[in-house]
Amino acid sequence: MAEIDINFELNRLIDFALANNLIEHEDVTWAANNLIGELGLNNFERLSLEHDNNLNLNSPDEILNKILDWAAANNLVEDTMTQRDLLDTRLMGLLTPRPSDVINEFEKLYKSSPEDATDYFYKLGVTSNYIRAARTAKNIVWKSKTEFGELDITINISKPEKDPRDIAKAGQVKASGYPKCLLCRENEGFYGHINHPARQNIRLVPLNLRAENWYMQYSPYSYYNEHCIVLCEEHRPMKIARETFENLLKFIEIFPHYFIGSNADLPIVGGSILSHDHYQGGRYKFAMDAAPFEKNYDFYGLEAGRIKWPMSAIRLRADHEHRNILINTACEILDAWREYSDPSVNIFAYTGGVPHNTITPIARRTGKLYELDLVLRNNLTSSEHPLGIFHPHEEVHHIKKENIGLIEVMGLAVLPARLKNSLEKICEVWAQGCADLSGFDELKIHNDWYKSLRDKYKDKNLQGDSLKAMIRAEVGHVFAQVLTHSGVFKRNEAGFAAFDRFVASLKK
């Protein structure tokens, strides 16, 4: 590897920061001195790089990788992903505007338009490298046509696996309990360590929801456009309640171009962090958004009904004048569902005093209307389905075994990285004419699926791109099954009747 000119790369980084308004020209000497101090250098020479292509980069990732390679070669950092991330975050933290400056700029732009404000804030997340855009760009994504619309499929390879050297060091770090979790407001500017990512370059904007302090930030590993997180200032557990619906509708009043939703508040059907009250939103249209009503319900004159979706969901719509009726109706549905049991379809509100029913709510604007989707959830387990009766069943675990959270509920599959190599290998084996996968240990988990596809497409001469397209389409169909398994009411005559019984119970 050619020797890296660290002075040149630091100049490139400073020029990138200037081009993207992270710093001003008056800040250059200050910024350079901070950077060389962090890297243990004794001098810096400013270069003129007006014609260098770094000015056209969308993120600083390529420049930072050169600096990190230099740092590793000079024993300033161990060459592991975690150690490199800690250093590049420290460097970008030196170039990221102060929180107060970001908030002032955001509020100034918001007066012009909410879109201008979020455009600025999102771009800041990318250019400061808090949003790891270069990594998320490596995710494998496609859309699959199903009876429920075009589902989004993502094979998530952006989050790095832990290096054994980092794992060994992590065990030697004494737990501090600060910040209490990854979503705490105290993460802003946090230095980070082996067991907690650095956050010197994260910025949050304050929101007032129901006279409470909340904050908006973006996800460092975005699964869709402008994937944001809205977190409560108080570190408290997730809880779906009236306050949730009020907060969601208030958010889409503030940012009408964004949707927002909440993970459920129970294990198995909830998100990965239940200990901190938060929501997720963004600027994206999911397949669920376009799901049509398939049966209308009469709720206080609201436009309401069951939607055609693999999971069991009630949609409510109202204009601003009827906003409170919308919230009251959502509360009535939530309260009734919390206590609802129907043994004929394995729905039990409690077993041994443990609650099982909850809701995954999603709010969006459709023109001037408020739209609220209430997805009914239940986390009961059984001997046949130890991971959850209304959870991906064993026959689809070869594709998706993990919990179905908010993002999947809306129709975006976040699939494990292992599938990248598995699907590529399956295409190779198919092209070789193999009838099954029994001779490939790493693919045996897919054998039943593979054989069913062999039978389904026995009259098709699939190869190359057509073979790849078929496999991807079939992954989409499996994801639709995953969502169907997670629905509390089956999508058949008996399931629809059970759904209607629940709705009828609301009117007693």
Side-chain angles (χ1 to χ4, degrees):
M1 183 174 68
E3 185 175 349
I4 294 170
D5 183 343
I6 188 62
N7 187 75
F8 176 75
E9 297 302 335
L10 289 177
N11 271 276
R12 292 185 68 205
L13 187 60
I14 287 170
D15 280 357
F16 175 86
L18 284 167
N20 287 281
N21 301 313
L22 297 178
I23 61 173
E24 303 292 338
H25 284 282
E26 293 81 5
D27 301 322
V28 168
T29 300
W30 167 85
N33 285 332
N34 275 285
L35 291 171
I36 66 172
E38 186 64 48
L39 295 173
L41 298 170
N42 294 320
N43 55 66
F44 173 80
E45 180 184 354
R46 185 70 173 125
L47 303 176
S48 177
L49 304 175
E50 285 91 350
H51 302 295
D52 190 75
N53 63 7
N54 68 283
L55 298 181
N56 298 318
L57 296 175
N58 294 319
S59 90
D61 187 74
E62 184 262 325
I63 305 170
L64 288 169
N65 279 332
K66 293 281 185 66
I67 295 172
L68 294 170
D69 289 344
W70 176 89
N74 286 273
N75 300 316
L76 293 180
V77 64
E78 195 166 9
D79 197 17
T80 69
M81 186 66 75
T82 299
Q83 296 286 349
R84 290 170 68 100
D85 283 358
L86 289 170
L87 178 55
D88 74 11
T89 303
R90 290 201 301 273
L91 296 176
M92 291 309 300
L94 300 172
L95 300 174
T96 304
R98 289 164 58 137
S100 57
D101 293 334
V102 172
I103 293 168
N104 289 337
E105 183 66 15
F106 184 91
E107 292 178 346
K108 182 181 77 174
L109 291 169
Y110 185 88
K111 292 176 181 178
S112 172
S113 86
E115 291 94 335
D116 287 349
T118 55
D119 285 350
Y120 156 76
F121 194 39
Y122 183 76
K123 183 183 177 184
L124 174 67
V126 173
T127 54
S128 68
N129 210 44
Y130 174 70
I131 298 172
R132 299 274 181 173
R135 289 186 190 167
T136 56
K138 296 176 182 178
N139 287 342
I140 300 169
V141 300
W142 71 89
K143 289 181 179 290
S144 284
K145 291 183 179 179
T146 72
E147 64 175 302
F148 305 106
E150 285 195 327
L151 301 181
D152 291 293
I153 311 297
T154 297
I155 297 179
N156 179 26
I157 57 176
S158 60
K159 287 188 177 180
E161 296 183 3
K162 283 284 187 180
D163 187 288
R165 292 169 289 180
D166 292 328
I167 295 172
K169 285 186 175 181
Q172 301 168 11
V173 176
K174 184 179 179 180
S176 70
Y178 178 88
K180 292 179 181 178
C181 77
L182 291 172
L183 294 179
C184 282
R185 191 259 179 279
E186 290 77 17
N187 279 280
E188 189 173 40
F190 187 64
Y191 61 88
H193 50 70
I194 288 291
N195 290 327
H196 195 108
R199 290 289 186 257
Q200 288 100 328
N201 56 348
I202 191 177
R203 295 295 180 264
L204 295 83
V205 293
L207 301 175
N208 187 281
L209 303 179
R210 291 185 314 100
E212 278 193 328
N213 293 329
W214 288 69
Y215 298 88
M216 183 173 73
Q217 65 178 64
Y218 288 103
S219 170
Y221 292 99
S222 301
Y223 291 121
Y224 50 83
N225 188 43
E226 297 181 37
H227 180 176
C228 69
I229 299 171
V230 178
L231 55 97
C232 184
E233 182 175 58
E234 180 186 356
H235 179 78
R236 67 188 186 205
M238 297 278 292
K239 182 174 176 58
I240 305 299
R242 180 184 188 89
E243 292 78 10
T244 308
F245 304 134
E246 291 176 346
N247 286 345
L248 298 185
L249 295 190
K250 181 62 177 177
F251 180 88
I252 59 174
E253 281 184 7
I254 299 171
F255 303 108
H257 57 300
Y258 273 16
F259 81 90
I260 191 166
S262 175
N263 269 304
D265 53 358
L266 294 178
I268 297 178
V269 296
S272 58
I273 301 180
L274 293 175
S275 61
H276 196 119
D277 206 2
H278 70 284
Y279 314 128
Q280 294 183 74
R283 196 174 192 171
Y284 192 71
K285 297 294 183 183
F286 294 87
M288 188 182 197
D289 296 28
F293 286 108
E294 60 182 5
K295 181 166 185 177
N296 294 323
Y297 296 132
D298 181 15
F299 289 130
Y300 309 106
L302 300 177
E303 186 177 3
R306 183 182 76 226
I307 60 174
K308 184 180 180 182
W309 192 243
M311 298 184 70
S312 309
I314 297 172
R315 176 167 292 165
L316 307 174
R317 283 186 187 147
D319 57 21
H320 185 79
E321 182 181 351
H322 298 91
R323 181 180 179 277
N324 287 336
I325 296 176
L326 180 66
I327 293 171
N328 291 338
T329 304
C331 292
E332 185 176 332
I333 293 170
L334 172 64
D335 292 343
W337 178 246
R338 292 275 195 199
E339 304 298 321
Y340 187 77
S341 294
D342 186 344
S344 71
V345 288
N346 281 323
I347 294 173
F348 295 90
Y350 300 90
T351 56
V354 177
H356 297 298
N357 289 350
T358 185
I359 278 177
T360 298
I362 303 116
R364 64 183 75 86
R365 298 286 290 271
T366 56
K368 294 184 178 180
L369 297 178
Y370 295 89
E371 187 169 277
L372 191 59
D373 286 348
L374 306 176
V375 185
L376 308 178
R377 312 296 303 273
N378 177 287
N379 74 347
L380 190 65
T381 61
S382 68
S383 57
E384 182 183 3
H385 301 294
L387 298 181
I389 296 173
F390 307 105
H391 178 88
H393 294 174
E394 188 174 0
E395 64 263 30
V396 297
H397 284 180
H398 65 106
I399 297 294
K400 178 72 174 178
K401 184 178 181 179
E402 299 77 15
N403 292 352
I404 301 305
L406 171 67
I407 295 172
E408 287 89 358
V409 165
M410 295 184 291
L412 191 158
V414 181
L415 303 180
R418 60 177 171 82
L419 284 177
K420 177 182 183 294
N421 292 332
S422 294
L423 297 182
E424 290 174 355
K425 186 67 174 177
I426 285 172
C427 287
E428 293 175 12
V429 171
W430 185 294
Q432 294 167 12
C434 296
D436 60 44
L437 302 175
S438 58
F440 305 90
D441 288 344
E442 73 277 19
L443 298 179
K444 284 182 179 178
I445 189 175
H446 300 287
N447 199 31
D448 289 344
W449 180 59
Y450 179 87
K451 289 190 293 184
S452 72
L453 296 182
R454 270 292 186 187
D455 183 62
K456 181 177 180 179
Y457 294 98
K458 60 187 176 184
D459 297 326
K460 300 284 187 180
N461 181 26
L462 297 172
Q463 53 187 326
D465 289 344
S466 63
L467 174 58
K468 180 180 177 181
M470 180 276 286
I471 293 294
R472 286 189 168 190
E474 292 294 339
V475 168
H477 292 311
V478 174
F479 179 52
Q481 283 182 270
V482 164
L483 295 180
T484 302
H485 292 171
S486 304
V488 294
F489 298 114
K490 293 186 182 300
R491 290 195 55 79
N492 55 30
E493 186 175 347
F496 292 146
F499 202 139
D500 289 344
R501 284 198 299 273
F502 165 65
V503 173
S505 75
L506 297 170
K507 301 177 181 179
K508 292 182 179 179

